[in-house]
Amino acid sequence: MNTAVNIENIEKEIKELKQKRTSQLFLTWLRFKRNRLSMVGLSFVLVIIFIAIFAPLLTPYDPYDTNPFRRLENPSREHLLGTDELGRDLLTRLLYGSRIALQVGILIVLFEGFIGITLGLLAGYLGRWVDEIIMRLVDILRSFPVIILAMAIAGIMGQGLYNVVIAIGLVGWTTYARMVRGKILSIKESEFVEAAFSIGESTPSVILRYILPNVLPTAVIMICIMMPTALIASATLSFLGVGVQPPLPCWGSIAAAGRDYITRAPWISTSAGFFIMFTVLGFNFIGDGLRDAFDPTSKRN
Amino acid sequence: AGDDSEVRIAVQVEPSKLNPITYQDTETGFVLGSICDPLITVDEDGSFSPNNAIIERFSVEEDGTVITFVIRRGIKFHNGDPLTAHDVKFTYESFMDENLGSPHHRYYTGIEDIELVGDYILRLTLEETDVTFLTLARIRGHVLPKNYIEEVGWDGYERHPIGSGPYKFVEHVPGSRIVLEKFDDYWGQEPSIDRVEFRFYPELSTAIMALRTGAVDFMPEMPADEFMDLEATPGSGLAFGTYQKMEDHRICFNKREDSIFNDARIRQAVAYAIDVNELIALTRGEMAVPARGRVPSFHPAFAEEANAYELNLEKARQLLEEAGYPDGFETEIFAPAGYRERIQEVQQIQVQLAKIGIKAEVVTVEWGTYLDVTADGEAPMFRERWSAGVPEPIGFVESWHSQSSWNPIFGVYNNPKVDELIDEIRRTIDDNERWKLYHQVQEIAMDDVADYPLYWPLVGDVYNENLHIPEELWDPFKIPIYYINHWSFK
Amino acid sequence: MGKSGYVVRRLLRTIPIVIGVTLVTFLILHFTPGDPVRIMLGPYATQENIAILKEQYGLDHPLHIQYITWLGNILQGEFGTSIRYNRPVLELVQDRVGITLMLTLSGLFISVTLGSVLGIFAALRQNSWLDYLCTFQAMFWISIPGFWLAIIFLYIFGLQLRWVPIGGLTGFSSVILPALVIGLQEEAWFARPMRAEMLGVLNEGYISAARAKGVKYIRVVGIHALRNVMIPMITMLALRLPWVIAGSVVVEVVFAWGGMGSLLVNSVLARDFPVVQGILLIIAITVVLANLLADLVYSLIDPRIRVEGGKK
Amino acid sequence: MTDILLETQGLKKYFNSPAGEVKAVDGVDLIIRQGQSFGLVGESGCGKSTLIRTILRLLEPTEGKVFFKGRDINSYRKNELLKLRKEMAMVFQDPHLSLNPRMTVFDTISRPLKIHGLARKKQELLVQIVELLHTMGMQAEHMVRFPHELSGGQKQRIGVARALAVEPDIIFLDEPTSALDVSVQTKILKLLEKARQERNLTFFFISHDINMIRVVADVMGVMYLGKIVEIGPKELLLSDPLHPYTQGLFQAVPEPDPDKIIQEVQLEGEVPSPINPPPGCNFNPRCPFVWDLCKEVEPMLKELEDERRVACHKY
Amino acid sequence: MEEIILKIEDLKVAFDTEEGDVEALDGVELEVKKGTFHGLIGETGCGKSVTGKTVLRLLDNNARIKGGRIHYGNIDLLKLTEKQMEKQIRGNEIAMIFQDPGSSLNPLFTIKYQIEEAVSMYSNLPRNKWNQAILEALQRVKLPDAANLMHRYPHQLSGGMKQRVMIAMMLACQPQLLIADEPTTALDVSIQAQFIKVLRDLKENLNLTVLYITHDLAVISELCDYVSVMYAGRIAENLTTRDLFKNPQHPYTDKLVHSVLGVTTTLEALEEIPGSVPRLINPPAGCRFHPRCQEAIAICSKEAPPLQELAPNHTVACHRR
Ligand SMILES: Nc1ncnc2c1ncn2[C@@H]1O[C@H](COP(=O)(O)OP(=O)(O)OP(=O)(O)O)[C@@H](O)[C@H]1O
Ligand SMILES: Nc1ncnc2c1ncn2[C@@H]1O[C@H](COP(=O)(O)OP(=O)(O)OP(=O)(O)O)[C@@H](O)[C@H]1O
Ligand SMILES: [Mg+2]
Ligand SMILES: [Mg+2]
């Protein structure tokens, strides 16, 4: 082996390095792909995303266009899923509803994820009284049923999309905080972090280069896993009458509104519930698949 | 019901306290209606009638300040005590006692004196002539047992209320049901059904399913949608009945200085833009009468000449332009959460107003918050409803009086002329004169669009077809659920 | 460190949580707009009426005074008086707690037994169709909003098939659907961890060791594995309790059961402060105590805790 | 006699644990000379790892001093600590756990170079890393790998390369081969020795494997329950162990020689817990030569001839 | 000639994994003679544990036994049903001690309970004698204060004690053959020495047959009579312990022995095996050692060498011998 260093060759290899990096993700993707259920989930979610983006092209109707004289109509050629209690085309509202659902879901997980991951990082890394305070707060909040606390919080701040996000998020973050903290505690104690200090890494650098990248997959998985909870919680709040406001086409409120017409127009509640189930199931499958894919040790063997 | 001697009634809201002087909700009224007897009743034609009532007869002195009641003899409370003028007096005094916190307290402030002429005769003296007193202060029909309450206290009463009505209280299983049982010593029509059970179904769909499967026999005030739907369902095994409810539905505006709706032209524009027929089609189908004034159209006080604001978008736009908003503006319209019909209508109104450029955002808030924001002027527009007694329709117009405590609740309306007319109404004994004053008030208020009346609802009760409910009970002044002793199973 | 030391420490750790819980409970309701008195008196209320009632309920004092008074009362078992019902909160709760207890317990029973059985079988038959079915059905049930499942069940089994009575608590058959809704929704939370834990435990050395001894597989699973799996399951049970309670709120509303859940929902909507506070507090403290109990129970099952004074 | 590179005086490190205070390192005096290869043996849990972590100031000592090149390392302020990090490096026991799973080999080795300003430009980095990899018998292609794409031996070589990168004066090796297979172990040890020769390094090995210390060390120490019991040149120590513990320990080591006569075990019982170490000499409960003094007075590390020191009342 | 208690012939085991089939065992052949200690050595991942577990049929779910025979006496263990294995073989005839003493005892049961399980199954003693049997079992492995100890939980014991409890438990089954899978790897030298002593005593007193899996040659030299050397799922060489150190024939055995610290005491003399252990997903064709073998010739990369007898008790799988 010649020891003279050929810079050009090496640079070429550095390029490969970048390719390999993507292929890391690619490997994860391969593992993910192998899981049939998660592929089904992914396709569900892609369908919903597609619908959310192209809703206006998929339907000739306006989701807010009421028609008092054609309300609660049966499904027909004209209105594939019939009309709702204000004579609006139900399918159109459900299609547009995917926008609200994704928006609410994403906002919730981002919001609670942001708080939870930050506080989890702080608690895990700083330890001592910071940890004590944050974790006690987590304990306290987790003693309350989410929906009930969210209901009260939504009551405080009034209803509406953003308040739903905040209400659910204010409890939801505890899950992230616990996960992230646990993960950090184990990483913090790990040998490679000690090794990092031994070569002279500074604390911020250790957090940034050693701890965060190792927590990130957990966080990403968490976000996927929490998405269903967020969607269901927001729908339940709508059901209890403290959710997203009409006339926004939100699945939860459509299902809630439709339940009064369950004997007469069962498809309203049914199809709205189906959309929720479809999306939530999709995210659940994905979350499950991701967990396995990101963490090769936990694969079904 | 499988058992002929029991009728099960579905109600959506659980009565909180069975206390005749503090209750607010219709459901408590339903229950108390069977436990207690009315002091006075109103006939089909809307006039006071002592039939079926605790009062055998009553008389009003010339200047209207002295009212004498003659109490029917032989009426017994469920505990066996006889009902006398003492009890009636006690009841009036309870309403007047501020500490008991009756929300109707203010109707009784006009009483100067209550005099027991004998055990069965009572004389009320009012401070000044107030023709409306009897309507507003007719004790909502429930006479309280003085001795019993003094014995067990108000708490005790609420736990086990008694009255002189056809059914006596058996138990209240919180969250589940209230059970009543036939009172054997009832003075009036003897009940044919032995037990009455009020079951609480907060979830409407559940209640309907329960009705359809025969788990309950009767559901009062079924929402119009469901009513019509059930009615159209063949073979459901259900029967139906309707009556007009003395309840007006309206759009209110925050008319305070700082509000955009302070300008009458804008309110008029809104009035022209709203298509009431559409709203009715939306939430009530056949089950409503469009309102054109503030008094029911069958009543002589109804003002035929008042401006009804037929749909006219041209005119609406013109008014907006005059007011300085040719392109419309953005605003909000509030409805209380959980009130389905109001929310649906508000959404429709949103669509209607959009046609003249007013972008009204729909805001639904919790009932408690709703009461706050509407009363505090934070809601520019809101969808209200108001029920008031008859025969005297004063309740429908009185909130327009600037001194009325209801005034702020409906967004503040201040018109000295209207104030004057309403004061005058109370003093005018002659019916026809008074009706004319009513006409005037309504005409002014309608011109001003103090608020915009939408419709009078027809209320529908749904029940098991095996249940027989006499025809004559389907009357705005009777209402079947208050006369369960007249029901029977076929 | 003795076991009593562990118990004491665990108890001490509960105190700040309980205090925090009371504070959160108190504050949440007090930051809620909407005047309880106004709601109580309805739109017809006059200012004087409102003032009188406010005084009567102590709602005119500054917040911290209200909190301290309230807390002091709570400590004496005085949860206040419902504004709406004009009855002691505790009495209201007592009347309804049985219903909620029945619902949550029967729901939990279904979810734990169903979940455990499915989880164990899935683990024993790993990667078989049964395993996949178990995973799939678990995912399926948790992907459905509870209220919707309740309505659909009611529609199908109550209205269409008429197998069960609709609404209210009228006997054994009326418990089936509500309990099933909770049971199915929660079952996933037991089935999947049970499967995972069981797989984990089955891979443990002591399982192989027991089998190497010649202990029958059924016995190995039933005694050696199950006991080990019980520890995380007990934690899970405590962890899911708030969710089960939340689920029972929704279910109570749909099935028209007059339990604590529907009382709570109604009271939230009506701003019946004392009731909401009382119930929230009772629920939260139940959860805290359940967690405590879970910890204590597995300190009984798990001998390691007694000496080390903490979980491994 | 060469210069003293590292010296510890009464170094102590206690941990708080729920069960009580753990006296992991309990008064260690050591002298390491420039260019030496020092090997410390001791049974599991006796405090070897804690000792070197404390010397490296990865843990703050409870008591005692560490002098490096004559300067007390506790006198280094936070910002000066970086200098210390350049002069002392460490190789960890578990090659898998000591590498950040989300960093490539390139990143892992380039970090110390960058931190200590030994290479700034990418080209410089590349040159140096490739050189280091070659020293470790690896190729440039390995740069793009993540830890999980390497074998155990390769990972440990990366660990060594990372330690070598800063050109330190002394490298601490915490059981660097115990997680590896025998055949791989040889390779690492040889590479380490080569590097030591070429770069004039000082090594501080710790291990519980006496056979390994025997192979790699010049000077050997024996640790028992937080204390050094005996220290001295390897040959002398092996041929003539003085401390009863050392004797027992060496005897207990099985020898891969079928002809050897198997001796009876002398070391009975186990290492007591460092939470409540026995009074007097730590070893007294297991010592075959115990007398009363041992149960009361703690023996000091006595200096004998030939650079040997032992902590036993027998001497 | 001594009686052969266990004879493994051409044993092939594969694992299904996501990355493909792992051919963990590919034609393992070995014989264990009654009353001897038989060592099984090899590097990590070469299939030692799999061999041991296959004998007891305690493999993971994803394992497939692709072929071969395991004769225990005149029974082919691979032909028995799971029920028969449970009833007749495990514990009764063959018992096994696993690598990690910490995880081999169920943390939730007392020592007594866990030994009792064995006693109740295999001794014909009446219930009231069980305690006595448990005590004896514990005393047999030189555990002090056995009467007290048996009421303790595993976590209250040290690693060395746990390991001894494990043997006591397995011996309480009164097996003919004991498979010990790296029983001392996790232990400290002094504890290991004590443990080895216990085993040696048992060997002398109980006439125990042990298949001893380890990668520690020193332990082999102290305990075993015969050794099988494994490499990448195959047996490289079966020989006596003496031959292992004095006369290794397979190039791998040779290298392995001389890369062991202790056998070789200077760094310079330590042997190094170039390359690394092959992965078993796509193992090298022919002799699996050939890529690392300095003596490899053309045929080595094509044909797998069969085991051939060099001398009595010495077989080797190498084309060059
Ligand atoms: N962070 C810590 N907190 C509490 N106790 C600790 C901590 N780190 C180590 N100990 C204890 O200190 C003692 C010495 O530990 P150390 O890791 O230094 O031992 P060691 O000699 O390196 O052992 P091994 O050979 O097993 O690596 C042990 O009893 C250990 O339990
Ligand atoms: N359940 C399994 N699934 C897939 N591969 C497995 C499984 N069990 C073992 N293997 C593989 O089989 C091969 C042999 O494993 P085995 O445990 O027998 O090795 P070993 O010789 O005992 O090693 P060690 O010395 O590390 O214990 C290894 O390559 C391992 O990766
Ligand atoms: Mg260590
Ligand atoms: Mg193994």
Side-chain angles (χ1 to χ4, degrees), chain B residues 21 193 241 274 294 307 351 365 414 442:
Chain B
I21 69 161
I193 294 169
I274 291 178
R294 183 40 67 68
N307 189 347
V351 174
V365 288
N414 194 346
Q442 291 177 79

Side-chain angles (χ1 to χ4, degrees), chain E residues 48-49 99 181-182:
Chain E
K48 305 184 295 291
S49 303
Q99 187 158 352
D181 189 355
E182 310 203 18

Side-chain angles (χ1 to χ4, degrees), chain B residues 222-350:
Chain B
M222 173 79 77
D225 247 349
E226 280 71 19
F227 184 88
M228 292 182 298
D229 177 41
L230 287 173
E231 209 175 13
T233 312
S236 65
L238 297 172
F240 305 86
T242 59
Y243 51 90
Q244 184 173 342
K245 197 175 183 193
M246 288 301 101
E247 184 178 80
D248 91 281
H249 288 241
R250 52 175 110 162
I251 298 295
C252 298
F253 305 94
N254 173 20
K255 299 173 288 293
R256 294 173 178 82
E257 290 280 302
D258 55 350
S259 163
I260 193 168
F261 292 105
N262 181 264
D263 187 338
R265 286 170 299 188
I266 291 189
R267 302 200 293 270
Q268 286 161 353
V270 170
Y272 277 119
I274 291 178
D275 183 348
V276 175
N277 289 324
E278 256 187 17
L279 297 183
I280 294 177
L282 186 68
T283 56
R284 312 228 36 109
E286 319 272 86
M287 307 207 28
V289 180
R292 302 185 51 207
R294 183 40 67 68
V295 173
S297 51
F298 59 78
H299 200 281
F302 172 68
E304 225 148 330
E305 286 84 40
N307 189 347
Y309 298 95
E310 299 298 341
L311 178 70
N312 191 336
L313 295 181
E314 255 324 292
K315 213 155 185 170
R317 286 194 197 100
Q318 196 184 321
L319 282 161
L320 274 187
E321 202 166 325
E322 278 170 31
Y325 294 97
D327 301 323
F329 52 87
E330 285 180 16
T331 184
E332 290 170 328
I333 180 160
F334 280 69
Y339 289 74
R340 188 181 82 198
E341 294 176 359
R342 295 207 223 173
I343 295 169
Q344 289 178 2
E345 285 167 17
V346 155
Q347 291 183 63
Q348 185 63 24
I349 289 171
Q350 177 190 41

